[in-house]
Every structure is written in structure tokens, then in C-alpha cells.
Amino acid sequence: MRYFVIPLLLTAMLANAQYNIQGKIQSVDTVGIEFATVRLLTADSVFISGTTTDTHGVYNIDLVNKGSYLLQCSAMGYLPQQINIHVDKPTSSIPPIVLQTDAKQLSVVTVTGSRINRVDNHLLIIPDKMSVKHSFSSYELLDNLMLPGFDVNTHTGDVTLFGKSVTIYVDGIPSDYNTVRNLRSKDIEKIEYHDVPTGRYSKDYAAINFITRKYKFGGYANFDAQQCIGHLNGTYNGYAQIVKGNTQYHVTGGYSMWDMSRDVTNSEEEYMFPGNPVTEQTRTWADAPNATWSMARYA
């Protein structure tokens, strides 16, 4: 029996054999960049695995299948880079990848570098006073941090990294656009940037978690309005947050209206009957203003 088990074990080990990718991320002066983020994606940009470089800028990534992949590299203060690689042997050594210095991002790191630290599998960012002062919402604060590869649209709330969506959390809870937009920058104590997500964030391509200051009682309200020319054209939104003990209440509401006489659809159809063409004209007016509201409770 023992002679039969050993071949089975060897077969299973061979079936699960992995491929390994090794390489180094370095600056233009050939110095290894520590804590750089390295992501491996398929040719059609589906995330597979990720890691960070060690103190010498060296990284290792294991994968199951050989083939062609995209390798994305980014680091604070440097321009991100993406290269195409092909894996067809157990160990693939990738030539050193050189990241160019981003002067604008480097200036931010120089000023606030002590406030950005690698903690386990994520970056912990403590917003500095100037960034908070020049930001009203959390989206504006995130945009001012200028994280490498990030694109933040402060108007729509779209946050992307290398063109792929970034999931936003508030105190570890997935949050919608209204909650994040109305989160004041001065209420953000620190930010967790999960560049290689694990645990509760493992299903995300990348994740930002805003950790807020804890209050026992109180709250605030925000109101904004957009009034167009004419009293029947406008959008109005309101948001309130109330804290009582360990429970937070978030209430959002909105109302929009427009001049119905301006929203008109005209159409014309012509029927060619023998010797007697017929033309039909149609005019359609839109109706009913739009109103929404919602309430969320987090304990």
C-alpha cells in the first residue's frame, strides 16, 4: 500500500506546481525602492495577485498558470509604470524596473513623509493640516494626497487606480457616494490605503478606508443647492450626521426640479400613400419632478 501512496503524492505535487516571478524596482540611481506596490494582472487587466518590495526593492510573486501578464508598479514619489511579461518557466527573472521621480508627488512626500508609513499590508496616512485646510470633502482630501496612479473625480466621486475602480470604506464599512462626499475632511483622523488588499478587502482591486474621529454626542448638517436660470430649474441636497454613544445616524435627502415646458420632444413621420401623402407630427412634454431620500444607521 505504501508504494501506491507515494506516486499519488508526487502526482499531486506536480499538479499544483507553481510559477514564480522575481524582480527589482529601483530608482534612476539604481537604488532599490522599498515598499513599492507590484500588481500582476491578466492581459485583459483582471487582477491576479500583488505584493510589495522589501527594503532592497526586491519582489516575488507566485502564480499557478503560465502565460502573458501585465505587471504594474507604483511607489510614493514616483511615476507608476506598467510592462508586459511572459511566464513560461518555473522561475522568471524580470529585468530591473526603473521608476522615474515625480517632482510634484515627491514634494508632497517630502513635507508629509513622516505621516505615511507602511503598516503590515497597507499604507497608513495621517493627513497634514494643510491638506485638511484646503479640502472640504473626503474626496478633495484624497485628491490632494496625490497617491501614485490614482485618479479622483471630486464631482462624481469616481476613484480609480490604473483605470480600475477603487472601493471606498468609512470606518471599515462600504460607503456610498453621498456618505463619502459629505464626510468632512477635518473629521478624518487617518486613511488606510490597501494597495494589496487582504481579509475583508480581498475582493477589491484596491481599497481606501477613511477612519473618522470618534464623538460621543453631537453631529452636523450639510446643504448644497444648484439653481439654474428660472425658478423651476434647480437641484437641492441635504445631509445630516448624528452621533449618540456608539451609534451613528446618516440621513440624506435630495430634490430636483425643472421647467416642464423646456423638456419637449418633437417627432415627425410621413406616410407615402398613392397620390395622397400624410404627415404626422408629435410633441411630447416630460412631467413630474424628481425627489429622493435615504437614511442609514451604523452601530
Side-chain angles (χ1 to χ4, degrees):
M1 184 67 179
R2 70 182 62 178
Y3 301 104
F4 179 70
V5 172
I6 293 176
L8 286 178
L9 293 175
L10 291 175
T11 303
M13 292 174 62
L14 292 174
N16 293 323
Q18 293 183 329
Y19 296 89
N20 179 262
I21 300 174
Q22 302 175 356
K24 181 179 181 180
I25 309 298
Q26 63 185 37
S27 59
V28 292
D29 52 4
T30 68
V31 176
I33 302 175
E34 63 178 351
F35 302 138
T37 301
V38 183
R39 290 183 177 83
L40 187 69
L41 300 91
T42 62
D44 53 355
S45 299
V46 177
F47 178 75
I48 297 178
S49 181
T51 186
T52 55
T53 58
D54 61 16
T55 54
H56 302 288
V58 177
Y59 64 88
N60 281 275
I61 298 180
D62 293 325
L63 65 156
V64 177
N65 301 315
K66 61 181 180 180
S68 298
Y69 298 94
L70 297 176
L71 196 67
Q72 293 180 346
C73 309
S74 60
M76 294 297 297
Y78 298 89
L79 294 172
Q81 189 176 150
Q82 175 177 288
I83 64 172
N84 296 305
I85 64 172
H86 184 74
V87 179
D88 56 3
K89 49 187 177 181
T91 302
S92 298
S93 296
I94 308 300
I97 300 175
V98 179
L99 298 185
Q100 300 293 326
T101 301
D102 187 336
K104 184 167 62 174
Q105 291 180 2
L106 183 59
S107 63
V108 175
V109 175
T110 302
V111 175
T112 63
S114 61
R115 297 176 178 268
I116 302 177
N117 299 292
R118 169 68 61 175
V119 179
D120 296 330
N121 57 354
H122 65 271
L123 281 176
L124 182 63
I125 305 171
I126 308 297
D128 63 286
K129 292 182 179 179
M130 290 300 295
S131 297
V132 173
K133 181 179 179 180
H134 292 90
S135 306
F136 177 76
S137 70
S138 54
Y139 284 120
E140 292 178 356
L141 179 60
L142 184 61
D143 188 35
N144 288 339
L145 292 176
M146 291 182 290
L147 296 173
F150 268 72
D151 183 17
V152 182
N153 189 320
T154 58
H155 299 289
T156 64
D158 293 325
V159 181
T160 59
L161 176 64
F162 297 110
K164 300 184 74 67
S165 180
V166 176
T167 308
I168 305 297
Y169 294 78
V170 176
D171 293 326
I173 301 174
S175 300
D176 59 13
Y177 166 72
N178 285 324
T179 300
V180 179
R181 182 175 71 94
N182 287 283
L183 178 61
R184 300 182 302 181
S185 59
K186 65 180 181 180
D187 286 340
I188 298 174
E189 183 176 358
K190 49 190 175 181
I191 300 172
E192 293 179 351
Y193 168 31
H194 294 264
D195 48 0
V196 184
T198 58
R200 73 169 68 183
Y201 311 104
S202 58
K203 294 183 179 180
D204 303 319
Y205 175 72
I208 290 290
N209 182 28
F210 292 106
I211 300 178
T212 61
R213 302 182 188 278
K214 300 300 182 290
Y215 302 99
K216 287 298 181 181
F217 181 79
Y220 62 89
N222 291 332
F223 298 94
D224 65 85
Q226 181 181 16
Q227 181 64 50
C228 303
I229 298 176
H231 68 282
L232 292 179
N233 293 273
T235 300
Y236 316 92
N237 297 298
Y239 171 86
Q241 175 180 307
I242 302 173
V243 180
K244 185 177 181 181
N246 294 324
T247 304
Q248 295 183 6
Y249 297 90
H250 301 267
V251 181
T252 61
Y255 182 80
S256 61
M257 58 189 304
W258 58 92
D259 187 350
M260 307 306 169
S261 63
R262 298 184 182 182
D263 195 358
V264 180
T265 302
N266 293 304
S267 63
E268 180 176 305
E269 294 180 299
E270 186 174 0
Y271 303 93
M272 302 300 296
F273 293 104
N276 186 25
V278 176
T279 301
E280 180 183 19
Q281 294 182 342
T282 304
R283 174 173 291 186
T284 305
W285 287 267
D287 57 4
N290 197 4
T292 61
W293 72 275
S294 66
M295 177 176 179
R297 173 179 179 271
Y298 300 112

